[in-house]
Amino acid sequence: MSTQAPQGLFAVSQALCTLFILLLPFALAGLALINTGLARSRSAAHSMMSTLCVVGVAAVVYYAVGFSLEGFAGLSSHTFTFHNRDWSWLGAGRWFMRDVPLEGSPASFAALLQMMCVGMAAMIPLGAAAERWRLGACCVSTALFAGLTYPIFAHWVWGTGWLSRLGMNFGLGLGFLDSGGSSTIQAVGGLTALSLVWLLGPRRGKFNLEGMPAALPGHNTVLVLFGCLLALVGWMGLNCAGAILFAGAQPGRTVLVAANTLLSAAGGVLAAAAVTRYRFGRPDASLSANGWLCGLAASSAGCAFLAPASAMITGLVAGALVTLTVAWMESRLGLDDPAGAVSVHAIGGIWGILAVGFLPFAPGVLGGLNAAAPAIGPRGQFLSQVVGVATLLGFVLPFTYLLNWLLNFVVPQRIPPEEERQGADLYELGAGAYPEFMTHTDEFTQW
Amino acid sequence: MKLTGLLMMPAGWIIVVAAVALLRLLSAQELFVAAGCGVEILGLVLIVRSHLAEKGGSE
């Protein structure tokens, strides 16, 4: 975006940034509970264990390599000139964050925030590939994600890359706007989830011989709904920190950001509950949870810019969209996505990006971001957002698909279908999540 | 079919980026960006169909 991150944060902004970033683990915990609750009990421990490993691998790889490729405003980057315009396409920092002293500069806050953001994005495929993705393979896939896929796209959006400069270089509004990560975190994670769902195939028993899907309900709805509440806390931290660091918002603007986040989530859950009530006669808990999460995913892009009513509309559309696309993807596209991650994060994220392009901004928000902002034509801003979506579909999806397809030859990603019967817990970890509730056939036969 | 789809998606993206970089008129940019997005969506449809065909073949 053409608005530059501030070169020096005031003490208040530093304190707020620290607070907001420290809220982010709540979003990770919420996503972990949602992914686990929506999977069957035979893979619950595997799901939580995978989450810990993925977050760990992502943080280490991003610290070692990822941030150097992503960069930040004021750090060096690889640039070429085409048609008299500079195209910044990759960060050129030194590995292990040696360019960024971790002492409170904006770049250091961005680095800390994104060490968690990349883990959050890498967790999204876990929900889609639940019950059939090997632990070792998901760690290696996460390493590729945190070291390549995420930093490249995040540089273009948050590291003063070419997408963020579409406004400055080509007069397309303010350039690609996404302060909270609807594209960099949600859509990139969701498209990676889509590629893995394709590569892994459905769970055993999900589709019958005629291709009709069977219902394999999650094992704990309470975990899922509690995870939604935890995710809200983390998302507020993510969106507020992102607004300060990547959109140059003043600390007072975080009130708008937090309100927009809540309103979008509220719109999402209410729309999902209403649509499922209309379609099935009763509101569906897991789809309503997906609506809540989809509202959050869609909120991130415009939370620092949109008026509260616009944020609520974003959430309402996201909630309705997710209930329809989850069923459509399963029945028409043959995708087995237990957590609905592709619909929630990819489609919700893309919708959030596009919504910034045409929904009304909050009064005075542009002056607060950049007093010298050019007059924004709605067509130019929308075109900027469309270019960002085209980049996600035209670059990120094929790239992540190719990476995981190649990885599958080196490290087989799927648990053998015959082992799925006993569950990923027993196959990979040797013990179940709920041992006291397991039925041991031999014990029964002895009596 | 899958390979074609995988190649069409970056091809569409290149059309989009080229439209933004080379054209000056906003309406022309919009037209070519829409065309590039159309190529991407065609590529996506091809990938989806190839996976559906694989799934049908394995059942």
Side-chain angles (χ1 to χ4, degrees):
Chain A
M1 64 204 79
S2 60
T3 51
Q4 293 295 306
Q7 292 302 307
L9 287 175
F10 294 109
V12 174
S13 294
Q14 285 181 319
L16 279 175
C17 265
T18 308
L19 176 69
F20 292 140
I21 291 170
L22 292 181
L23 290 179
L24 202 64
F26 284 110
L28 304 185
L31 276 181
L33 290 181
I34 292 166
N35 287 345
T36 302
L38 287 173
R40 287 177 292 182
S41 59
R42 65 182 74 172
S43 302
H46 183 265
S47 172
M48 293 302 278
M49 179 69 182
S50 301
T51 299
L52 290 182
C53 292
V54 158
V55 172
V57 169
V60 169
V61 173
Y62 186 78
Y63 165 73
V65 184
F67 188 75
S68 67
L69 297 181
E70 182 186 337
F72 189 70
L75 301 180
S76 56
S77 63
H78 295 290
T79 305
F80 65 90
T81 304
F82 178 68
H83 244 238
N84 298 325
R85 310 282 188 208
D86 287 336
W87 292 70
S88 172
W89 63 280
L90 196 63
R94 292 190 296 167
W95 286 18
F96 297 99
M97 294 188 187
R98 280 176 293 166
D99 295 327
V100 185
L102 300 175
E103 57 187 14
S105 63
S108 68
F109 277 114
L112 175 63
L113 173 68
Q114 291 189 86
M115 281 172 73
M116 296 185 211
C117 287
V118 71
M120 185 180 179
M123 281 173 64
I124 293 168
L126 285 179
E131 303 187 32
R132 59 205 192 278
W133 200 12
R134 283 176 190 266
L135 189 58
C138 82
C139 289
V140 181
S141 176
T142 298
L144 293 173
F145 180 86
L148 283 173
T149 315
Y150 177 92
I152 292 173
F153 188 76
H155 172 75
W156 295 349
V157 179
W158 286 343
T160 65
W162 66 272
L163 270 176
S164 69
R165 290 174 177 267
L166 286 177
M168 197 181 293
N169 285 345
F170 304 104
L172 299 180
L174 286 170
F176 182 73
L177 291 179
D178 178 7
S179 64
S182 283
S183 61
T184 48
I185 302 172
Q186 310 304 329
V188 171
L191 292 174
T192 304
L194 175 61
S195 65
L196 279 160
V197 168
W198 274 333
L199 289 168
L200 293 174
R203 287 170 292 175
R204 183 189 175 97
K206 178 64 188 175
F207 294 97
N208 65 17
L209 290 176
E210 288 77 40
M212 293 299 292
L216 301 176
H219 82 285
N220 196 326
T221 308
V222 177
L223 282 187
V224 176
L225 298 177
F226 181 60
C228 287
L229 292 173
L230 277 184
L232 173 69
V233 181
W235 237 278
M236 283 189 172
L238 166 66
N239 286 350
C240 290
I244 293 174
L245 291 168
F246 304 123
Q250 297 299 312
R253 184 65 66 187
T254 55
V255 179
L256 173 74
V257 176
N260 280 351
T261 307
L262 178 58
L263 285 172
S264 188
V269 71
L270 292 176
V275 171
T276 52
R277 168 74 178 78
Y278 175 74
R279 291 182 70 199
F280 312 127
R282 291 176 185 173
D284 183 279
S286 67
L287 282 174
S288 299
N290 277 342
W292 175 271
L293 207 55
C294 193
L296 288 173
S299 77
S300 293
C303 57
F305 315 103
L306 294 177
S310 303
M312 197 163 64
I313 292 169
T314 306
L316 283 168
V317 174
L321 209 55
V322 77
T323 55
L324 302 174
T325 52
V326 162
W328 179 70
M329 285 188 173
E330 187 174 285
S331 59
R332 293 300 181 91
L333 304 189
L335 296 179
D336 181 17
D337 176 2
V342 178
S343 296
V344 168
H345 300 279
I347 294 180
I350 287 172
W351 157 242
I353 296 162
L354 294 175
V356 182
F358 63 88
L359 288 177
F361 279 19
V365 75
L366 294 176
L369 288 168
N370 184 356
I376 301 174
R379 287 167 64 193
Q381 186 59 54
F382 185 68
L383 197 60
S384 260
Q385 304 301 108
V386 172
V387 172
V389 172
T391 305
L392 283 165
L393 291 179
F395 173 77
V396 173
L397 180 57
F399 185 69
T400 188
Y401 186 97
L402 193 68
L403 282 182
N404 282 297
W405 180 72
L406 291 173
L407 177 64
N408 203 28
F409 291 108
V410 184
V411 185
Q413 305 220 39
R414 175 156 185 152
I415 291 174
E418 59 272 16
E419 307 294 348
E420 276 180 53
R421 194 194 305 270
Q422 59 177 334
D425 282 2
L426 286 180
Y427 178 68
E428 292 245 284
L429 306 179
Y434 309 105
E436 65 270 36
F437 297 120
M438 290 178 71
T439 303
H440 298 282
T441 311
D442 50 344
E443 288 175 13
F444 283 95
T445 52
Q446 285 171 4
W447 292 92
Chain B
M1 191 155 63
K2 190 191 296 179
L3 183 66
T4 312
L6 278 172
L7 290 174
M8 281 179 78
M9 294 180 79
W13 175 56
I14 290 168
I15 293 172
V16 168
V17 176
V20 170
L22 299 176
L23 301 173
R24 286 288 162 266
L25 210 59
L26 187 60
S27 51
Q29 286 178 334
E30 285 172 339
L31 190 69
F32 275 81
V33 166
C37 290
V39 173
E40 287 186 11
I41 290 168
L42 274 177
L44 189 60
V45 169
L46 280 181
I47 297 176
V48 168
R49 290 184 69 88
S50 74
H51 277 279
L52 281 175
E54 278 175 15
K55 182 168 153 273
S58 65
E59 280 165 356

